[in-house]
């Protein structure tokens, strides 16, 4: 007769569980996504080129519900809002975070977004035209 029938199940639970590699990856992806979503919607100060005044111009996209969609980044973020991601590390492929299977790379991205070295930046019509021409000519798309 067993004195504690749940004893074999109890060994699976830890008092202070350390997240698994997979859980850490999911948490890191989630935090990056949260930062990116907030960054698309956060107020950014902008200095007018015709004055010394710093203007509060609203959200970087002007859209309260702007979101990042990796497969349609060019159309839905760059073309629509004239906003690009700047500072993406060259050693991390620019793709959906779900497809980044290395925790170290995800942590590198998280540190970049947290520090501001990776950020969204509004681009001018002229810069957009140049980037679009490069993209159409087979150059860098992102």
């Amino acid at each position: 007769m067993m004195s504690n029938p749940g004893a074999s199940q109890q060994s699976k639970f830890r008092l202070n569980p350390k997240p698994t590699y997979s859980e850490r990856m999911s948490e890191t992806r989630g935090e990056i996504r949260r930062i990116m979503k907030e960054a698309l919607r956060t107020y950014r100060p902008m200095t007018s080129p015709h004055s010394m005044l710093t203007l509060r111009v609203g959200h970087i996209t002007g859209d309260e519900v702007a979101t990042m969609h990796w497969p349609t980044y060019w159309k839905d973020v760059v073309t629509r809002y004239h906003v690009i991601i700047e500072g993406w590390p060259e050693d991390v492929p620019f793709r959906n975070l779900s497809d980044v299977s290395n925790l170290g790379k995800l942590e590198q991205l998280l540190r970049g977004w947290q520090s501001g070295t990776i950020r969204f930046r509004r681009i001018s019509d002229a810069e957009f035209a140049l980037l679009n021409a490069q993209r159409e000519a087979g150059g860098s798309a992102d």
Side-chain angles (χ1 to χ4, degrees), residues 7-71:
S8 64
Q9 293 297 322
Q10 289 176 351
S11 65
K12 293 181 182 178
F13 299 100
R14 299 169 293 217
L15 182 58
N16 292 315
K18 180 179 177 185
T20 65
Y21 188 84
S22 178
E23 289 169 335
R24 289 174 49 212
M25 296 222 2
S26 293
E27 289 169 5
T28 305
R29 283 185 187 111
E31 182 63 8
I32 294 168
R33 288 180 178 125
R34 184 196 65 74
I35 291 169
M36 291 175 74
K37 183 185 217 181
E38 185 178 295
L40 273 175
R41 300 173 182 178
T42 300
Y43 283 102
R44 298 280 190 243
M46 181 175 171
T47 303
S48 168
H50 304 293
S51 74
M52 298 303 288
L53 299 175
T54 298
L55 308 171
R56 190 171 167 124
V57 296
H59 297 83
I60 194 163
T61 62
D63 185 347
E64 293 283 333
V65 295
T67 56
M68 173 70 181
H69 297 283
W70 293 96

Side-chain angles (χ1 to χ4, degrees), residues 68-89:
M68 173 70 181
H69 297 283
W70 293 96
T72 57
Y73 164 73
W74 184 262
K75 179 182 80 141
D76 291 340
V77 177
V78 180
T79 301
R80 182 174 186 181
Y81 301 117
H82 282 211
V83 169
I84 61 169
I85 293 176
E86 187 171 71
W88 193 271

